[in-house]
Amino acid sequence: MKNRKGNRKPTAHEQRTRRFELRLSEAERTQFLELEKALGLSRADIVRIRVLQHSKRMLVNTTEIMKLLDSIGAEIGRSGNNINQLAKHANTLQQQGMLHAVLISDLIPLLTEYVRLQRELEQSIRQLIRLIRGQT
């Protein structure tokens, strides 16, 4: 009961008197050290968070996720640019009286599906961001 002041209950850190060993292969050790470096957490904290505190949560490399989200955003931007080019071309054909109804009827379901997939992606990204924020 050393390092305690008054009648204060010991903190979780003060109660950590037990040691736990873990044997790993060299490849697992390397992977663990890379995870430690990427997350900026100590090995003990990684184990405590993953096993004890949030056993249903995942540890994630937020830097890597942000890079992936950035690339997804760039792809969405390119898709939007392509759609704008198609719309401009369709307007030009419409002005020239060369836009066929068959082309429009083929294009509408594709654009509808694109909008549905984009909304689904936006919802997934929002969920991911909420999960990431919950871990920090």
Side-chain angles (χ1 to χ4, degrees):
M1 298 279 176
K2 54 187 167 184
N3 295 334
R4 286 184 39 194
K5 296 179 182 178
N7 291 329
R8 180 178 59 86
K9 290 184 179 181
T11 64
H13 179 70
E14 291 171 339
Q15 295 174 358
R16 292 183 182 143
T17 58
R18 299 291 185 185
R19 185 171 177 85
F20 182 82
E21 284 191 40
L22 176 65
R23 293 188 185 273
L24 302 171
S25 68
E26 192 58 39
E28 290 170 331
R29 181 181 177 277
T30 301
Q31 184 181 1
F32 202 99
L33 293 174
E34 288 172 2
L35 182 65
E36 178 183 16
K37 184 177 179 181
L39 296 173
L41 296 173
S42 70
R43 284 174 239 160
D45 285 340
I46 291 171
V47 172
R48 281 189 203 104
I49 290 168
R50 183 64 182 121
V51 175
L52 302 176
Q53 293 179 6
H54 306 288
S55 60
K56 293 182 181 176
R57 293 172 109 177
M58 302 252 333
L59 292 172
V60 295
N61 183 340
T62 54
T63 303
E64 190 64 30
I65 288 176
M66 294 310 290
K67 286 179 187 176
L68 291 171
L69 290 176
D70 188 47
S71 67
I72 289 170
E75 285 298 321
I76 289 172
R78 284 191 277 281
S79 297
N81 186 40
N82 290 341
I83 290 170
N84 285 339
Q85 289 176 4
L86 288 170
K88 182 179 179 182
H89 187 66
N91 285 332
T92 302
L93 290 175
Q94 176 69 27
Q95 290 172 352
Q96 296 172 355
M98 298 173 58
L99 186 61
H100 301 288
V102 174
L103 180 62
I104 296 298
S105 65
D106 288 345
L107 189 58
I108 288 174
L110 294 173
L111 289 174
T112 303
E113 178 66 5
Y114 172 79
V115 169
R116 185 191 70 75
L117 289 171
Q118 186 173 7
R119 286 184 182 151
E120 187 178 315
L121 178 62
E122 288 170 1
Q123 289 175 346
S124 296
I125 289 172
R126 282 191 202 103
Q127 283 180 320
L128 180 60
I129 290 170
R130 282 193 293 273
L131 287 171
I132 291 170
R133 284 185 181 158
Q135 287 189 5
T136 56

